Amino acid sequence: MTVSPLIWGITIVVILALLAFDYFFHIRKAHVPSLKEAAIWSSIYVGLAVLFGVLVLIFGGGQMGSEYFAGYITEKALSVDNLFVFLIIMASFRVPREDQQKVLLFGIVFSLIARTGFIFLGAALINSFAWVFYIFGLILLLTAGNLLKPGDHGDGQANNFIIRLAKKLFHTTDKYDGDKLFTMVNGKRALTPMLLVMVAIGGTDILFALDSIPAIFGLTQNVFIVFTATAFSLMGLRQLYFLIDGLLDRLIYLSYGLAAILAFIGVKLILHALHENNLPFINDGEHVNVIEITTGLSLSVIIGVLVVTVVLSLISPAGKAQTAINNARRHAVDYLDLDYTADANERERIYRALTAEEAQIVQMPLKYRNKAKDVDKIREQVTEAHRQHEEFLNRQGS
């Protein structure tokens, strides 16, 4: 189905309006969103995405609607996985909690711009060269393999080439000045860590696009559906970050689920490439009669894999232990970091969370507790957080 320029224009205006609303009504004033605020707005953005899908289903037909929902769910799952890396980047740059919303919104906007460019480039390549499906399929299979490799999620992403280059070429400072991108240090204009962390997230967004765009082109070649499913999957990602912060560590099997989904779509793309084949060294340039995977089957597999992955992660004793230990480590580090936040209520919230997680860890079997990396270091950090909190209470009492 061909989408008219009017529909394209209305859709783009709506997406830009949502981004502008997010900035002027939520981001402009630095604050830490409450769990209730994050839950409400996450629900609203998911609701808008579903409503848009229903409209596509009504006016575009069942095939187009199914392609949109398959693409949206896949891109949303990949976006949640990207939040792991955002956590690592913001932790490594020690971004104040109340300023993290602005960094996330920048990441969403930059990601939308980068992915839009990749979408139209991908569409142009597909229209001109059917063999591009082979490349997209191989990219997804390689990405699926990388997700199965052992190791911490996204380690080293923050210290990328762009950051190292910026520090060499420009005058930078390690101190934040509110949410300013530039500040004055010894009479000289300097880049703040706020600008550098935005550059880091922008750089990783480009890498994410290299995975996500081939994935959705494996489900549909309709550029309007590819663009809208991608855009709506990014909407509300900021609120989702604060809503599931802490739950992310719990989803210990998410990488396996995403690997299965990407491998499935990769195989689907290669089968489609064989069906459309015009490469002379494959079947003498003739189409290959192979099974084509339908959109309905794709949607069922994607939803099924994600449901199984999330349920297994949530009921797993190892997942519960890892969540509590990782959260205790993060909250201890945040409490000890005086630059983390200037909000006294936020610091008190962190300490309460830390003590609750300790109580939860104590009740766990030793085999799960001892599996944590750097367990001795974590214990030292927690002990130091308690000591500093005691000192704070003593100062308050005297």
Side-chain angles (χ1 to χ4, degrees):
M1 176 184 171
T2 303
V3 179
S4 69
L6 177 63
I7 298 299
W8 265 103
I10 292 172
T11 303
I12 292 171
V13 168
V14 168
I15 290 169
L16 292 176
L18 287 172
L19 290 171
F21 175 83
D22 224 9
Y23 176 78
F24 287 106
F25 289 92
H26 292 117
I27 309 297
R28 209 170 182 184
K29 183 180 178 182
H31 72 287
V32 180
S34 65
L35 189 63
K36 181 180 178 182
E37 178 187 337
I40 289 172
W41 284 104
S42 291
S43 301
I44 288 172
Y45 278 111
V46 170
L48 288 173
V50 171
L51 176 61
F52 182 83
V54 171
L55 292 175
V56 171
L57 203 62
I58 294 170
F59 296 104
Q63 175 72 15
M64 201 169 172
S66 298
E67 288 177 354
Y68 167 81
F69 280 111
Y72 171 74
I73 293 169
T74 301
E75 292 297 301
K76 197 70 175 177
L78 289 170
S79 296
V80 170
D81 189 52
N82 296 349
L83 290 180
F84 281 102
V85 181
F86 289 165
L87 274 170
I88 292 167
I89 290 174
M90 286 197 276
S92 65
F93 279 95
R94 294 164 56 193
V95 180
R97 181 77 166 173
E98 53 266 32
D99 293 322
Q100 289 179 4
Q101 291 196 93
K102 185 168 287 187
V103 175
L104 286 167
L105 184 61
F106 167 82
I108 290 167
V109 172
F110 187 89
S111 182
L112 187 57
I113 294 170
R115 293 182 194 207
T116 300
F118 278 113
I119 287 168
F120 286 103
L121 176 62
L125 288 172
I126 286 169
N127 290 334
S128 303
F129 312 103
W131 50 263
V132 169
F133 285 113
Y134 287 113
I135 296 176
F136 281 3
L138 288 173
I139 287 173
L140 293 184
L141 290 174
L142 289 171
T143 303
N146 286 332
L147 283 172
L148 295 177
K149 287 181 180 178
D152 288 340
H153 223 90
D155 271 359
Q157 293 280 0
N159 191 28
N160 60 30
F161 170 76
I162 299 173
I163 293 298
R164 294 195 298 271
L165 185 64
K167 287 185 174 180
K168 285 183 179 179
L169 296 179
F170 303 102
H171 182 48
T172 63
T173 176
D174 294 329
K175 295 292 183 182
Y176 285 92
D177 185 5
D179 59 2
K180 293 179 182 177
L181 304 182
F182 298 90
T183 190
M184 299 299 292
V185 178
N186 298 325
K188 291 183 180 180
R189 191 175 174 84
L191 304 181
T192 69
M194 181 62 69
L195 180 58
L196 294 178
V197 71
M198 287 182 174
V199 171
I201 283 184
T204 52
D205 274 332
I206 293 175
L207 297 177
F208 293 150
L210 295 175
D211 298 335
S212 69
I213 298 308
I216 194 167
F217 268 118
L219 298 168
T220 177
Q221 284 81 60
N222 185 314
V223 178
F224 181 75
I225 295 299
V226 173
F227 172 76
T228 51
T230 301
F232 277 105
S233 73
L234 293 171
M235 295 290 108
L237 195 60
R238 173 185 64 80
Q239 292 87 349
L240 191 64
Y241 173 89
F242 290 96
L243 180 62
I244 64 176
D245 181 15
L247 180 62
L248 287 174
D249 290 320
R250 180 78 168 269
L251 300 178
I252 59 173
Y253 300 124
L254 180 62
S255 59
Y256 296 102
L258 290 175
I261 290 171
L262 292 180
F264 171 78
I265 298 174
V267 170
K268 182 178 186 291
L269 273 171
I270 290 174
L271 290 174
H272 183 71
L274 289 168
H275 189 267
E276 301 290 325
N277 179 64
N278 56 12
L279 293 177
F281 53 85
I282 297 178
N283 199 35
D284 296 324
E286 298 296 322
H287 302 331
V288 181
N289 290 323
V290 292
I291 297 171
E292 287 242 58
I293 299 171
T294 64
T295 304
L297 177 59
S298 298
L299 183 58
S300 300
V301 169
I302 291 164
I303 294 173
V305 169
L306 285 175
V307 168
V308 170
T309 298
V310 171
V311 170
L312 287 178
S313 295
L314 293 178
I315 65 175
S316 164
K320 293 177 182 178
Q322 183 171 311
T323 302
I325 292 168
N326 286 344
N327 284 344
R329 170 173 47 195
R330 184 162 63 246
H331 286 134
V333 170
D334 289 343
Y335 189 86
L336 296 171
D337 182 3
L338 296 177
D339 292 329
Y340 173 75
T341 180
D343 188 340
N345 292 329
E346 171 66 8
R347 193 162 292 282
E348 182 60 30
R349 183 194 70 80
I350 292 169
Y351 187 77
R352 286 200 305 271
L354 174 60
T355 53
E357 284 145 9
E358 279 187 284
Q360 189 179 352
I361 292 168
V362 167
Q363 296 174 1
M364 293 174 183
L366 277 174
K367 64 179 180 178
Y368 297 125
R369 281 190 258 168
N370 293 334
K371 279 185 179 180
K373 287 179 62 178
D374 303 323
V375 64
D376 291 332
K377 185 177 179 181
I378 295 171
R379 286 173 180 145
E380 289 176 8
Q381 290 167 332
V382 170
T383 302
E384 179 62 18
H386 281 299
R387 189 189 66 78
Q388 290 196 15
H389 189 69
E390 283 293 327
E391 286 186 356
F392 170 74
L393 292 178
N394 291 333
R395 287 196 301 269
Q396 292 288 98
S398 59

